[in-house]
Amino acid sequence: YVSPELDKNSLSIIDSFAQNLNAISGFQTTSQPLEGTEALPKKNIVFEANKDIVPEGYELSIQPDAVIIQASDRSGIFYAIQTLKQLLPTAIYGDQPTSDAQWTLPCMEIKDAPRFGYRGLHIDVARHFFPKEEMKKILDLMALHKQNTLHWHLTDDQGWRIEIKKYPRLTEIGSIRNKTMIKYAEERCINIIPEVDLPGHMMAALAAYPDLGCTGGPYEVSGQWGVRDDVLCPGKEKTFTFIEDVLTEVMELFPSEYIHIGGDECPKVRWEKCPKCQARIKAERLKANDKHKAEFFLQSYVTARVEKFLNDHGRKIIGWDEILEGELAPNATVMSWRGMDGGIEAARLKHPVIMTPNNYVYLDYYPTMNTQDEPLAIGGYNPVEKVYSLEPVPASLNEEERKYIIGAQGNLWT
Ligand code: ACM
Ligand code: ZN
């Protein structure tokens, strides 16, 4: 039974749960409106709107006669259903009807709400291509863990995985484009943040469009992990035309308020020798300071210019913590990956921070010391206990600064 005060989106979530339950258990449940104030129907699941519950929160009461679920938004309804599924026989996660499961629930009261609004998983499809079915599985697992943001690392040295109509050669390297997959995420209360990593980690694009580099190439799509000296040339205007064209098409595909523009691991050696880059440094009056050479401020110039372009289109940027080097772009959110220091610095500068410290939540690290029995990983050691022990809010921040830590994320590089 569904209270009419719940919106249409909640209704479709409840309907899919009913279909899911019916398909596995053989029940024939349907969703029906809950009318008036008469006594709650017995032996049923009742979904009610409760404006006093915070966004994404829910209350679940399992009583001998009925299950009562309350929330103020569709995410809350969705997460209550996730909890209910966790309490049901595991067959509920499969796609096969079963007759030998016990469809009972233990009586209990749960009041649940997230501590952070941003609960992310990063997935790198540049190094390893994930087909659509695999991505859907990842979204299902995220939903099970009540994670609400997928950070999709779409481009890197080892491959460009998003079709850009204006630059068709990018797709010769490999592409994915699937609008229905975005909807699949939306139905699971997951926002997708696309990442185009710039100005470094661009070998795949340089191999397709060598003009975008300082030396003009030739370049090859990288066959190995690591950081490459060849990056985009910010001395050339055509580089910015390329970035803006790509981001325009990315914005058409992804409604996300945030776009991740990367910014990590961008060596400056080509820029130091490139006449066009040096001319840009001069024209923009970029100067070294006691911490950073002028070329670091050239990267800040790129980030700020891309931020302005995206802000003008109603979007916001997220960048890896290297965007703190030189000068931080005015409205940027910082993703702290080299430990938590970058996040601490950004919070003190009053910028939003997402904590993804490599020594806790890099999911491409080994989960065990017995690495010989494991699939190939990048190295490191992050066992499950360590991952779960992450406290995203550093004790060294004061109360005001702590508000800038908006969440945490596990990063699955491939
Ligand atoms: C990163 O791991 N290079 C952000
Ligand atoms: Zn250059």
Side-chain angles (χ1 to χ4, degrees), residues 201 264-265 320 337 362 413:
H201 284 293
D264 59 321
E265 299 176 319
W320 299 110
W337 73 276
Y362 263 40
W413 302 96

Side-chain angles (χ1 to χ4, degrees), residues 76-360:
I77 294 290
F78 184 73
Y79 293 137
I81 290 173
Q82 298 315 305
T83 297
L84 211 51
K85 286 174 73 168
Q86 288 170 357
L87 296 165
L88 288 170
T90 53
I92 194 74
Y93 293 111
D95 49 14
Q96 295 302 317
T98 177
S99 54
D100 54 5
Q102 281 271 336
W103 295 95
T104 59
L105 291 162
C107 288
M108 64 175 71
E109 304 281 334
I110 291 181
K111 290 187 183 185
D112 191 14
R115 184 174 161 210
F116 297 104
Y118 187 109
R119 304 180 302 281
L121 179 72
H122 157 284
I123 180 94
D124 169 10
V125 296
R127 275 54 173 264
H128 180 83
F129 183 83
F130 286 75
K132 179 170 141 186
E133 287 311 313
E134 204 67 32
M135 288 304 299
K136 286 164 87 171
K137 221 153 89 181
I138 288 169
L139 290 166
D140 286 340
L141 286 168
M142 287 179 67
L144 167 66
H145 290 90
K146 304 189 176 84
Q147 288 182 297
N148 67 358
T149 308
L150 176 75
H151 167 178
W152 209 353
H153 188 82
L154 292 166
T155 73
D156 215 301
D157 301 311
Q158 292 80 6
W160 186 285
R161 305 291 177 207
I162 178 166
E163 180 184 20
I164 301 296
K165 292 237 161 72
K166 262 200 179 166
Y167 297 85
R169 290 208 295 277
L170 294 169
T171 61
E172 288 174 10
I173 294 145
S175 74
I176 45 169
R177 180 182 194 139
N178 198 319
K179 290 184 182 177
T180 59
M181 206 173 337
I182 297 172
K183 190 155 173 284
Y184 194 89
E186 219 266 330
E187 285 165 355
R188 280 152 188 76
C189 299
I190 294 169
N191 178 41
I192 296 182
I193 296 176
E195 178 186 355
V196 175
D197 199 349
L198 65 97
H201 284 293
M202 270 285 169
M203 289 303 289
L206 291 179
Y209 294 96
D211 263 8
L212 299 173
C214 291
T215 65
Y219 305 106
E220 258 186 35
V221 180
S222 303
Q224 284 179 321
W225 290 322
V227 174
R228 298 295 179 290
D229 284 344
D230 288 298
V231 300
L232 290 178
C233 174
K236 298 174 181 171
E237 258 324 281
K238 72 166 67 160
T239 297
F240 291 94
T241 307
F242 169 77
I243 293 171
E244 291 179 7
D245 284 344
V246 166
L247 291 176
T248 297
E249 293 194 25
V250 166
M251 284 189 281
E252 281 166 16
L253 274 173
F254 295 94
S256 172
E257 182 185 20
Y258 284 109
I259 309 277
H260 201 303
I261 53 91
D264 59 321
E265 299 176 319
C266 179
K268 313 293 190 282
V269 291
R270 295 288 181 263
W271 298 356
E272 284 170 12
K273 297 240 155 54
C274 169
K276 290 197 165 73
C277 284
Q278 291 305 312
R280 175 81 75 190
I281 284 172
K282 215 169 151 201
E284 295 296 328
R285 297 193 168 83
L286 305 177
K287 300 257 171 2
N289 66 7
D290 54 348
K291 281 207 204 103
H292 298 295
K293 292 183 182 173
E295 286 75 16
F296 283 79
F297 290 87
L298 183 55
Q299 180 167 346
S300 303
Y301 166 81
V302 174
T303 310
R305 193 163 156 181
V306 173
E307 174 177 82
K308 175 154 193 332
F309 175 75
L310 288 173
N311 285 173
D312 286 350
H313 289 80
R315 310 297 180 101
K316 295 179 178 168
I317 67 161
I318 303 177
W320 299 110
D321 58 59
E322 283 92 336
I323 66 169
L324 284 156
E325 295 163 1
E327 191 178 20
L328 186 55
N331 307 311
T333 294
V334 172
M335 198 168 260
S336 189
W337 73 276
R338 296 176 297 181
M340 314 252 274
D341 290 350
I344 291 168
E345 185 184 341
R348 293 199 165 130
L349 292 168
K350 300 191 190 306
H351 282 247
V353 170
I354 298 155
M355 287 295 189
T356 70
N358 55 347
N359 52 335
Y360 282 88

